[in-house]
Amino acid sequence: MRGAPDSEGVTTPPETRIFYPAGWYNPRPTVTPGEDPVEEPSTNFTQENLSPFTDYEFRVTAMNQAGTGLSEWASVTTLEAFPLSMSSPIVVGISSTDLNVSWIPPSRDQARGAIIQYTLYQFLQSLDPFAPPESTQLIYAGPGYVTNFIVTNLEPYSSHEFAVEACNSVGCVTSARGSGNTLPDAPENQEAPSADGYNVTSIRASWLPPTIQNGPLASYNLQRMEASLNSPPPVVEMGSRFSGGGYYKFTGSLIPTSAYTGIELEFRIGRPTPYSQPVSALLLFAVSRDEQAEYIVIQLRDGRPWFLFDPQGGAVGVTPTNDGGRVYDDNTWHHLKVTRDGARGYITVDQIYTGTALSSTSSTIIGISDSVFIGGLPNDFNIIRTDTGDTEVVKSSLVGCIKNIQIEQQHVPTEVWQALDWSDAIETYQVVPTWEGCPTNLDTGVHFLGGGKIIKL
């Protein structure tokens, strides 16, 4: 016996004698009296412990007194057995959404049979806390002569794991895992930058990373463009501009919980035309949670400034009483300061015109507010208070400018005031960035703030 010769004529295993039966073959089996014939040699043999699906060659040697005769070599292949191993698949990204998964067929001694089918599995991760953390999905099954498969519709720059199963007629074997990444793609959902004035000649721009990066850490290019219809540019001055319908929202801790309240600001509000009705607008609004039992409000009603407060159970409104009933929606800057000492409130306009009022409640402390709004309220904000008259809240948003807001942080033993940082807002809506300032010479018409347009259908 020997193994089938390879391309270079080498046989593995080499030629080996595996069976040597004794006996004598008599072609004329006539038995004479007294003759004791020798048994004929065996003419069959079973060779064991061979390798599955391997070619072997056998030949028979016959010997007599005259010499030795040799047969031709006879070839035979052992039957198939379960395959032993399969190498891991090779995973290569060919686009941002596609992977080429290929595999090398197992060697003959590992396949131990003709491979008739390959099956490809993908390992999927689950974020469902009630499901197994990983599952296996069959994504391809094909004939034994196919050695690759294109996996499509994947996420850009995502990692995936696969295993391939090789089967012969007896059984199958599964490889270890192979992994690879899809190629990067352009980032998605990059939000617009925010910009704020740094000094008189500089603007600070900042931005968040794209929510879907689709690749390694992104590099950034910042572009600048001239604002539309901006020649000549408007004359502006320091301040935060409100164009109507917008607001800044701050946490309720902006106004400390205390028996004292102090807020100081400057505002400029003008009527749309000289013949328009006096302006009503909400400047600042803070109200307690749930039943809204306590509130602090600064507003303009019919062109006059009002300070409203309620330490719980006694809302009161304060407006100047020594200004002859003048209105302040004259498109000039006015200084406004409101303070509260327990149940008594004070208002001072332009450091000349004053007013005071006393709440009917014995309570003196206003607790922390749910939020503090400046310039207006969200459309869906629900005021459940039922105040009327001087204590009713104006719901109209501000069209104008505010600057230099100061809030009292401590009253005793010495007063401590702190300037408002507009960047501390937790939410903004339809407001002009503070670095753009407040125009001083706006004309009647449609205002383009840069990057906007009107489409007429």
Side-chain angles (χ1 to χ4, degrees):
M1 182 196 80
R2 68 182 185 184
D6 61 17
S7 59
E8 297 180 357
V10 179
T11 60
T12 304
E15 182 177 337
T16 305
R17 187 175 67 178
I18 58 174
F19 180 57
Y20 188 71
W24 188 265
Y25 174 71
N26 185 359
R28 293 182 294 277
T30 301
V31 179
T32 59
E35 182 181 1
D36 185 13
V38 179
E39 291 186 1
E40 294 183 359
S42 176
T43 57
N44 65 79
F45 175 73
T46 300
Q47 175 65 45
E48 298 179 346
N49 299 321
L50 299 176
S51 298
F53 199 61
T54 304
D55 296 330
Y56 293 94
E57 292 184 340
F58 296 85
R59 73 176 177 182
V60 177
T61 300
M63 295 180 293
N64 60 16
Q65 295 174 339
T68 301
L70 301 176
S71 73
E72 298 292 332
W73 287 99
S75 298
V76 64
T77 302
T78 51
L79 299 181
E80 297 185 2
F82 275 93
L84 291 179
S85 68
M86 176 68 192
S87 60
S88 301
I90 303 167
V91 185
V92 178
I94 57 177
S95 75
S96 61
T97 58
D98 301 336
L99 290 171
N100 179 41
V101 184
S102 60
W103 50 91
I104 300 173
S107 60
R108 185 180 178 91
D109 63 322
Q110 296 299 305
R112 304 210 297 180
I115 299 300
I116 58 176
Q117 177 176 289
Y118 289 111
T119 305
L120 185 63
Y121 297 94
Q122 182 177 7
F123 297 92
L124 304 176
Q125 305 299 319
S126 174
L127 299 178
D128 186 350
F130 303 102
E134 184 178 77
S135 61
T136 305
Q137 180 179 5
L138 187 153
I139 59 173
Y140 169 77
Y145 56 83
V146 176
T147 57
N148 80 295
F149 180 72
I150 305 297
V151 186
T152 60
N153 299 322
L154 303 174
E155 294 293 330
Y157 202 63
S158 55
S159 180
H160 303 271
E161 290 187 325
F162 303 89
V164 63
E165 181 182 67
C167 299
N168 60 21
S169 63
V170 178
C172 302
V173 64
T174 303
S175 72
R177 299 186 185 190
S179 62
N181 294 339
T182 52
L183 300 181
D185 201 355
E188 298 179 50
N189 299 343
Q190 174 65 60
E191 295 185 0
S194 60
D196 200 1
Y198 184 70
N199 56 36
V200 295
T201 60
S202 304
I203 293 175
R204 179 192 293 112
S206 61
W207 55 91
L208 296 173
T211 56
I212 304 177
Q213 298 218 10
N214 287 340
L217 195 61
S219 60
Y220 300 99
N221 292 319
L222 184 63
Q223 296 179 334
R224 187 186 73 177
M225 63 177 291
E226 296 294 332
S228 304
L229 302 177
N230 195 46
S231 180
V235 178
V236 297
E237 53 191 356
M238 293 296 294
S240 296
R241 180 187 176 194
F242 294 82
S243 55
Y247 58 84
Y248 284 84
K249 179 181 178 181
F250 297 85
T251 62
S253 60
L254 182 68
I255 301 177
T257 299
S258 175
Y260 302 93
T261 301
I263 303 173
E264 189 174 349
L265 57 85
E266 294 179 61
F267 68 89
R268 192 187 76 204
I269 301 173
R271 302 183 189 183
T273 68
Y275 309 103
S276 301
Q277 294 295 321
V279 173
S280 295
L282 187 63
L283 304 186
L284 182 146
F285 178 86
V287 69
S288 59
R289 297 183 177 93
D290 302 326
E291 300 299 323
Q292 300 182 354
E294 304 163 339
Y295 75 161
I296 296 173
V297 179
I298 301 175
Q299 61 186 22
L300 230 64
R301 183 191 300 117
D302 297 328
R304 292 188 53 76
W306 283 84
F307 172 38
L308 317 181
F309 66 93
D310 185 356
Q312 193 172 125
V316 65
V318 189
T319 192
T321 56
N322 61 344
D323 60 357
R326 65 172 292 183
V327 293
Y328 297 84
D329 53 353
D330 53 4
N331 203 30
T332 60
W333 285 104
H334 295 282
H335 180 273
L336 173 64
K337 181 178 182 179
V338 299
T339 58
R340 180 185 65 86
D341 186 351
R344 179 169 291 277
Y346 304 87
I347 187 170
T348 302
V349 181
D350 294 335
Q351 301 176 341
I352 299 174
Y353 307 112
T354 61
T356 183
L358 180 66
S359 172
S360 60
T361 182
S362 60
S363 178
T364 61
I365 295 178
I366 295 180
I368 191 169
S369 301
D370 181 54
S371 301
V372 178
F373 293 92
I374 296 178
L377 294 173
N379 291 331
D380 58 354
F381 191 91
N382 184 24
I383 300 178
I384 63 176
R385 294 181 61 96
T386 57
D387 303 287
T388 58
D390 292 346
T391 59
E392 183 178 1
V393 177
V394 169
K395 299 180 179 62
S396 301
S397 298
L398 170 64
V399 179
C401 292
I402 297 179
K403 66 179 180 180
N404 298 335
I405 298 180
Q406 301 270 342
I407 298 176
E408 187 179 29
Q409 302 297 313
Q410 175 184 295
H411 190 70
V412 291
T414 57
E415 293 184 3
V416 177
W417 292 72
Q418 180 175 317
L420 174 70
D421 187 345
W422 293 96
S423 65
D424 289 339
I426 59 175
E427 181 182 325
T428 61
Y429 179 72
Q430 289 187 355
V431 292
V432 180
T434 56
W435 61 267
E436 292 193 14
C438 294
T440 62
N441 58 341
L442 288 182
D443 295 326
T444 301
V446 178
H447 294 177
F448 293 88
L449 304 180
K453 58 182 177 293
I454 290 180
I455 299 177
K456 182 178 181 180
L457 301 178

